[in-house]
Amino acid sequence: MNIRVISAIALLCLVWGSLWGLVKHSLQVFPPFLFTSLRLILAAVTLMLLQLILKKSILPKRGEWKSLIILSALVCLGFYATQIFAMQFVDSGLSAVLVFTMPIFIGILAHYVLHERLNRQKVLGLILGTLGLIAILWPQLLHLSWNLSLAGELLLIGSGFFWAMATVYIKKNFATYDKIKLTIWQMLIGGIAILIGALIFEPVDITVWMNPLNQSLLFYIAVIGTGFAFALWNWIVSQVDTFIASISIMCIPVLSLCFGALIWHEPLTMNILMGAALICSGIVMSSLKLKSKNAQFNYCSKQSR
């Protein structure tokens, strides 16, 4: 990876690492799906203005709409809507850990869809990640009963799976596509769909939306944390191996746990810490490039000549 990609990854980790607690706080202020729809639409409109300033095309070609609608459904309905609903019942730091099981799912999907080889290290990483999930869910599994907390945790894992599907779909169908234009439409299409449903089922309190502090919060989450960050993520995915891209942002759930504990006073239980450590270990193990014995033998043979 070159310095541009590394810098982009570092910036993305900082933005997304700080975002989870702010989103959790927003759910105490805004109706969840109305907040999500406006977040997506505002992000898309901001990027649309940027695209106009750069004098680049905005409208997709006729044959691109079907693929964009599928991608938007994966990102907005599968990833964002599922995630925002589940976060009402789960702390922000734990939410980040569960959603960022995404690299584990990508390892499997990329193997079958993108033919990025699933080697022994990635399999071991998948096993460690699965053990991490079991550790996090252990209190609920020990006294198994259906409750909102368990439902939220399972939905967050599902959200990570949808994100993995969307990432692989982008790599397969939009590898050379304008990444800002791609982000505009994947958010705008789904954002409008969620907005229609939110206006039907959720209350609208205009005083909440006119509050300057609430507006600032929405602006940061929408423009910086969603529009800019997702455009940056789409660009990173286009520059490196899909699995490596997902591995590179593994520090985000760790940052989210730290922010959640320090700023939002969320509890860090032993099973959460153990689960997070196992998941991160699995991701690191999957990303390491260890030389095989044959490669080492060949190298030593060349050196001895």
Side-chain angles (χ1 to χ4, degrees):
M1 287 189 290
N2 59 43
I3 190 65
R4 290 175 62 199
V5 175
I6 293 172
S7 300
I9 289 169
L11 181 58
L12 185 64
C13 288
L14 184 61
V15 172
W16 271 351
S18 65
L19 197 68
W20 290 84
L22 294 175
V23 171
K24 177 70 175 180
H25 174 72
S26 299
L27 295 178
Q28 301 172 12
V29 178
F30 303 113
F33 293 110
L34 192 56
F35 162 73
T36 302
S37 63
L38 292 178
R39 169 188 180 181
L40 294 169
I41 293 169
L42 182 57
V45 170
T46 303
L47 291 176
M48 197 175 288
L49 292 174
L50 176 60
Q51 197 78 332
L52 286 172
I53 292 171
L54 295 173
K55 296 181 179 180
K56 293 185 177 180
S57 66
I58 294 176
L59 288 176
K61 295 177 182 177
R62 187 174 181 179
E64 297 170 347
W65 282 105
K66 181 180 177 180
S67 296
L68 286 170
I69 291 170
I70 293 172
L71 176 61
S72 186
L74 291 172
V75 172
C76 296
L77 302 179
F79 175 58
Y80 277 113
T82 304
Q83 173 198 131
I84 211 71
F85 176 77
M87 282 187 71
Q88 296 176 92
F89 317 112
V90 183
D91 287 339
S92 64
L94 178 55
S95 296
V97 172
L98 294 173
V99 170
F100 274 85
T101 53
M102 174 268 293
I104 297 171
F105 295 124
I106 277 187
I108 299 171
L109 292 172
H111 174 76
Y112 291 104
V113 179
L114 302 177
H115 307 294
E116 294 178 3
R117 188 168 159 266
L118 188 64
N119 55 29
R120 291 179 185 175
Q121 289 171 239
K122 291 181 179 180
V123 171
L124 181 56
L126 292 173
I127 294 171
L128 288 171
T130 302
L131 290 174
L133 290 177
I134 293 172
I136 289 171
L137 297 173
W138 187 249
Q140 285 90 347
L141 295 175
L142 199 61
H143 307 285
L144 195 59
S145 61
W146 189 255
N147 55 56
L148 288 176
S149 179
L150 178 59
E153 290 170 359
L154 293 175
L155 283 172
L156 286 164
I157 296 170
S159 176
F161 178 70
F162 276 110
W163 187 10
M165 288 179 65
T167 301
V168 170
Y169 192 80
I170 288 170
K171 187 77 172 183
K172 185 175 178 62
N173 297 281
F174 295 99
T176 59
Y177 203 79
D178 184 315
K179 295 305 175 288
I180 295 179
K181 182 177 175 180
L182 176 65
T183 308
I184 288 170
W185 292 104
Q186 76 178 32
M187 293 187 173
L188 189 60
I189 296 169
I192 292 172
I194 296 172
L195 178 62
I196 294 170
L199 290 174
I200 295 172
F201 295 106
E202 290 184 336
V204 179
D205 184 353
I206 195 67
T207 58
V208 171
W209 300 97
M210 296 305 294
N211 183 293
L213 185 60
N214 292 345
Q215 290 177 345
S216 300
L217 184 64
L218 177 62
F219 179 85
Y220 176 79
I221 292 173
V223 176
I224 307 299
T226 305
F228 168 76
F230 230 97
L232 194 61
W233 167 248
N234 288 340
W235 180 80
I236 292 169
V237 169
S238 71
Q239 298 299 306
V240 296
D241 179 278
T242 314
F243 190 75
I244 298 301
S246 64
I247 290 298
S248 65
I249 56 174
M250 58 162 289
C251 67
I252 291 175
V254 178
L255 286 172
S256 299
L257 281 171
C258 293
F259 281 126
L262 294 173
I263 300 174
W264 308 106
H265 308 293
E266 295 175 355
L268 283 178
T269 60
M270 185 56 67
N271 67 294
I272 290 176
L273 291 173
M274 288 178 60
L278 283 168
I279 289 171
C280 290
S281 298
I283 293 172
V284 170
M285 175 57 65
S286 301
S287 65
L288 289 176
K289 291 185 177 181
L290 301 176
K291 292 181 179 179
S292 66
K293 290 183 179 179
N294 289 338
Q296 290 177 350
F297 176 78
N298 291 337
Y299 175 77
C300 292
S301 299
K302 288 179 182 178
Q303 290 292 100
S304 63
R305 289 175 185 173

